[in-house]
């Protein structure tokens, strides 16, 4: 008999305890996000598709078009072509296309990059209507980010630039060849005995 | 002019106006309650609930109702046709009739009957018949199971419901709802009958087939219970009846325990509606807190706990009234 009443009271108390929990949650602020209207910033650890780092010092990318990323990519999704502009010390890319649709986000391109030019983006809206929606030129994306940040925009080398670079390259090659020829001509009369020793 | 006044004052005009008012109230109430339920459940789960249609999704239910009305009315091949078609009507009409005696304010009652309580309880019991009809006629095992559960449950829970109300009726000495409210002028009966109030709310939750006693339509076990085979507006009628039933049990709780229309400053009807919706909020609070009980627990709870406690409460009330 005592157990009967005890059970009722304990049961009733447990019901009240449960209700106090739900009413506390009722008054708490909501935690969900109304997705298309609100978005959450991804954490730095999030691995979206790779993109160029916008270097704070040079205000542009650090890519030297070495093609390491294109070579290491297990699905061969990166195709890039670089050019050495006249007067420049290093190559720069004029095309860096990432076909994202097969990307497994393995991150090998980010790991391998000798100049640490790549990082993971926080982008998670990856759906598209066509296959072409998942093909990005990272140079164009970088320009968009620079424009959004109000920074000077890194120009993409145009056809004319490429032609100029090719011409400069050809001229330089020619000059080198001539130099080599001249050197060879100058070296010819040297005696051979010294070399043997 | 005189004719008009006579017509308006006549009983027939009162009935027609009352019926129009009731139907308007029933539909608006159901639309509001569905929205309220979604909002309450959402906020208890830390989400915002419907937000798109109208201010904070306020007219979401209207959009849903339009969708329901435009749906095809499917009648499965092997159903018991007349009973199948009659069930949504049978569940909805008694619900409508219960509004006849509910006193929204001192004067705003369609008809103050001296057997008002009896009328409400009798019509509320009819909904069990409708659920049985719907479940049986659907020729579907889940529907029948839902209907069987509903009948067993309602038969069990109507007894403590009646007995708890009986203790209040003993105190007032009248079955008229207006008299019961008038008797609470000095204090509400929830103060003198707290146990009866708790028992009544429990039984009312079971009577309206709401969680944690929603076994007749337990969606994780029985698809949708007795209304599995109903679509479109027929389903909407079941839905409407369910939410209107909630309003009625809450209105009865208000009349019996919370002093009905009585309250300071605000007009009677406002007080009445505030109290009714507070009780409805309580029912929703139950639903989103407690898990569904098992069937044996449900029946055991009614017969071993609610009924003895209700009887004890009734005896105690009678004893105190006699000794006083």
């Amino acid at each position: 008999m005592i157990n009967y009443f005890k059970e009722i009271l304990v049961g009733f108390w447990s019901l009240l305890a449960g209700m106090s929990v739900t009413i506390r949650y009722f008054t708490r602020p909501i935690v969900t996000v109304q997705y298309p209207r609100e978005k959450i910033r991804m954490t730095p650890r999030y691995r979206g598709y790779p993109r160029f780092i916008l270097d704070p010092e040079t205000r542009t990318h650090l890519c030297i078009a070495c093609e390491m990323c294109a070579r290491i990519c297990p699905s061969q999704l990166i195709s890039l072509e670089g050019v050495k502009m006249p007067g420049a010390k290093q190559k720069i890319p004029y095309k860096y296309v990432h076909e994202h649709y097969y990307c497994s986000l393995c991150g090998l391109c980010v790991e391998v990059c000798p100049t640490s030019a790549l990082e993971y983006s926080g982008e998670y809206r990856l759906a598209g209507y066509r296959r072409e929606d998942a093909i990005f030129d990272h140079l164009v994306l970088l320009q968009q980010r620079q424009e959004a940040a109000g920074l000077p925009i890194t120009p993409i080398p145009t056809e004319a630039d490429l032609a100029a670079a090719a011409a400069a390259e050809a001229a330089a090659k020619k000059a080198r060849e001539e130099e080599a020829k001249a050197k060879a001509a100058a070296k010819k009369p040297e005696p051979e005995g010294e070399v043997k020793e | 002019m005189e004719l008009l006044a006579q017509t308006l004052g006549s009983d027939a005009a009162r009935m027609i106006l009352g019926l129009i008012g009731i139907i308007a109230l029933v539909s608006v109430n159901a639309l509001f309650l569905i929205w309220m339920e979604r909002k309450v459940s959402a906020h208890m789960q830390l989400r915002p609930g419907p937000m798109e249609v109208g201010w904070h999704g306020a007219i979401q239910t209207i959009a849903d109702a339009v969708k329901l009305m435009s749906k095809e009315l499917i009648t499965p091949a092997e159903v018991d046709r007349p009973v199948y078609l009659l069930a949504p009507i049978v569940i909805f009409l008694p619900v409508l009739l219960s509004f006849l005696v509910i006193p929204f304010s001192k004067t705003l009652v369609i008809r103050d009957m001296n057997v008002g309580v009896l009328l409400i309880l009798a019509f509320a019991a009819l909904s069990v018949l409708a659920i049985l009809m719907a479940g049986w006629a659907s020729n579907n095992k889940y529907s029948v199971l839902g209907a069987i559960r509903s009948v067993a449950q309602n038969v069990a829970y109507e007894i403590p419901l009646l007995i708890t109300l009986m203790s209040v009726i003993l105190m007032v000495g009248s079955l008229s709802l207006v008299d019961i409210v008038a008797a609470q002028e000095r204090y509400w009966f929830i103060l003198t009958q707290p146990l009866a109030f708790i028992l009544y709310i429990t039984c009312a939750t079971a009577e309206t087939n709401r969680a944690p006693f929603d076994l007749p339509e337990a969606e994780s076990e029985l698809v949708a219970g007795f209304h599995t085979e109903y679509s479109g507006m027929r389903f909407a009628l079941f839905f409407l009846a369910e939410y209107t039933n909630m309003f009625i049990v809450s209105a009865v709780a208000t009349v019996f325990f919370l002093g009905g229309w009585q309250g300071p400053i605000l007009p009677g009807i406002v007080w009445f509606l505030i109290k009714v919706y507070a009780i409805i909020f309580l029912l929703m609070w139950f639903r989103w807190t407690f898990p569904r009980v098992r069937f044996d627990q449900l029946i055991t709870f009614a017969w071993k706990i609610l009924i003895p406690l209700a009887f004890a409460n009734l005896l105690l009330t009678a004893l105190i009234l006699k000794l006083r």
Side-chain angles (χ1 to χ4, degrees):
Chain A
M1 196 64 190
I2 293 168
N3 264 347
Y4 173 80
F5 286 110
K6 199 177 155 194
E7 207 172 291
I8 290 176
L9 284 178
V10 170
F12 186 66
W13 180 250
S14 76
L15 293 183
L16 289 185
M19 286 175 72
S20 77
V21 170
T22 39
I23 203 70
R24 251 181 288 141
Y25 272 82
F26 184 72
T27 52
R28 272 192 206 174
I30 55 176
V31 294
T32 52
V33 176
Q34 294 294 94
Y35 168 60
R37 314 213 192 311
E38 303 170 64
K39 293 185 185 78
I40 22 176
R41 276 187 70 86
M42 300 313 289
T43 55
R45 280 288 180 101
Y46 184 77
R47 288 170 80 137
Y49 58 75
R51 65 174 185 190
F52 277 140
I53 292 175
L54 189 52
D55 190 59
E57 278 173 41
T58 62
R59 293 171 163 196
T60 177
H61 61 79
L62 298 169
C63 183
I64 53 168
C66 66
E67 297 190 32
M68 291 288 270
C69 46
R71 245 171 262 165
I72 205 162
C73 180
S75 313
Q76 300 180 346
L77 300 172
I78 300 170
S79 51
L80 88 139
E81 277 164 49
V83 64
K84 199 172 199 172
M85 297 300 278
K89 277 184 184 166
Q90 282 170 330
K91 278 165 94 180
I92 53 163
Y94 63 89
K95 187 182 132 207
Y96 191 113
V97 177
H98 187 193
E99 295 166 71
H100 186 242
Y101 42 76
Y102 288 145
C103 180
S104 54
L105 301 170
C106 65
L108 283 176
C109 45
V110 178
E111 302 275 327
V112 80
C113 186
T115 54
S116 299
L118 292 173
E119 65 178 352
Y120 300 110
S121 68
E123 186 56 61
Y124 52 90
R125 290 168 294 155
L126 304 175
Y129 290 99
R130 294 184 311 274
R131 168 183 287 230
E132 287 73 29
D133 289 347
I135 299 178
F136 309 112
D137 191 329
H138 282 306
L139 293 167
V140 178
L141 288 187
L142 184 79
Q143 284 185 331
Q144 287 167 1
R145 277 163 64 206
Q146 284 171 326
E147 197 176 351
L151 294 172
I153 289 169
T154 310
I156 299 175
T158 58
E159 297 271 327
D161 290 336
L162 295 182
E169 181 83 359
K173 200 176 174 188
K174 208 174 179 184
R176 270 205 306 276
E177 272 169 15
E178 261 161 36
E179 202 180 325
K181 222 180 252 174
K183 242 181 201 169
K187 271 184 184 173
K188 226 174 187 177
E190 277 176 21
E192 281 176 29
E194 282 179 34
V195 181
K196 269 180 187 169
E197 204 178 355
Chain B
M1 202 65 207
E2 202 174 307
L3 191 74
L4 189 72
Q6 254 178 8
T7 324
L8 278 179
S10 76
D11 217 34
R14 197 182 167 93
M15 280 292 157
I16 290 166
L17 284 178
L19 206 63
I20 292 169
I22 286 170
I23 291 175
L25 176 73
V26 164
S27 357
V28 173
N29 170 62
L31 289 176
F32 176 72
L33 281 190
I34 293 167
W35 177 76
M36 180 175 161
E37 174 115 74
R38 293 184 66 178
K39 278 292 181 191
V40 169
S41 69
H43 281 276
M44 282 184 179
Q45 296 164 353
L46 303 184
R47 18 180 213 106
M51 293 290 278
E52 294 299 316
V53 192
W55 178 82
H56 279 243
I59 52 174
Q60 176 72 50
T61 20
I62 294 178
D64 291 346
V66 169
K67 188 208 78 176
L68 264 184
M69 277 187 246
S70 65
K71 282 214 161 182
E72 186 187 355
L73 290 174
I74 298 165
T75 312
E78 295 290 315
V79 297
D80 188 345
R81 240 187 123 78
V83 183
Y84 177 84
L85 296 183
L86 212 57
I89 303 169
V90 173
I91 202 169
F92 190 63
L93 278 184
V95 166
L96 219 53
L97 284 171
S98 303
F99 276 95
L100 270 182
V101 291
I102 291 176
F104 288 93
S105 77
K106 203 163 191 170
T107 47
L108 198 63
V109 46
I110 297 174
R111 198 169 255 242
D112 177 22
M113 287 188 195
N114 58 358
V115 288
V117 185
L118 222 54
L119 183 122
I120 286 187
L121 292 172
F123 282 133
L126 263 184
S127 72
V128 186
L129 174 69
I131 288 174
L132 185 60
M133 282 167 71
W136 182 253
S138 291
N139 194 16
N140 172 331
K141 55 179 176 268
Y142 297 119
S143 301
V144 178
L145 273 173
I148 291 169
R149 284 179 177 190
S150 180
V151 173
Q153 174 180 334
N154 284 29
V155 165
Y157 278 83
E158 239 155 50
I159 301 164
L161 186 87
L162 286 166
I163 297 168
T164 47
L165 292 184
M166 191 73 90
S167 49
V168 173
I169 292 165
L170 270 185
M171 290 174 75
V172 181
S174 167
L175 284 170
S176 155
L177 294 179
V178 177
D179 289 351
I180 291 169
V181 176
Q184 300 178 58
E185 198 143 20
R186 283 191 298 129
Y187 55 86
W188 296 353
F189 284 154
I190 191 176
L191 297 176
T192 48
Q193 294 278 8
L195 181 62
F197 178 71
I198 293 167
L199 292 179
Y200 175 80
I201 290 291
T202 315
C203 298
T205 317
E207 280 288 300
T208 47
N209 295 333
R210 285 182 62 79
F213 305 116
D214 60 345
L215 286 110
E217 43 194 298
E219 62 268 16
S220 43
E221 309 161 26
L222 297 179
V223 191
F226 58 89
H227 57 61
T228 306
E229 298 290 354
Y230 286 86
S231 62
M233 212 46 214
R234 291 181 194 144
F235 165 72
L237 276 179
F238 281 111
F239 219 57
L240 211 60
E242 192 187 321
Y243 278 94
T244 315
N245 256 329
M246 261 177 92
F247 185 90
I248 290 170
V249 295
S250 305
V252 171
T254 308
V255 166
F256 273 76
F257 299 102
L258 297 181
W261 67 75
Q262 296 183 5
I265 310 164
L266 293 170
I269 180 151
V270 177
W271 272 112
F272 186 82
L273 289 178
I274 287 174
K275 290 168 185 172
V276 166
Y277 283 107
I279 301 235
I280 288 174
F281 178 78
L282 190 67
L283 293 181
M284 289 178 178
W285 189 359
F286 287 163
R287 173 163 177 187
W288 298 104
T289 305
F290 304 134
R292 186 182 304 131
V293 296
R294 224 167 46 217
F295 198 71
D296 61 314
Q297 292 171 335
L298 176 92
I299 299 297
T300 311
F301 186 56
W303 291 99
K304 282 193 174 168
I305 295 178
L306 289 180
I307 294 178
L309 282 182
F311 266 120
N313 190 56
L314 180 67
L315 282 176
L316 201 68
T317 312
L319 204 65
I320 291 170
L321 284 176
K322 191 73 190 169
L323 291 177
R324 201 170 54 183

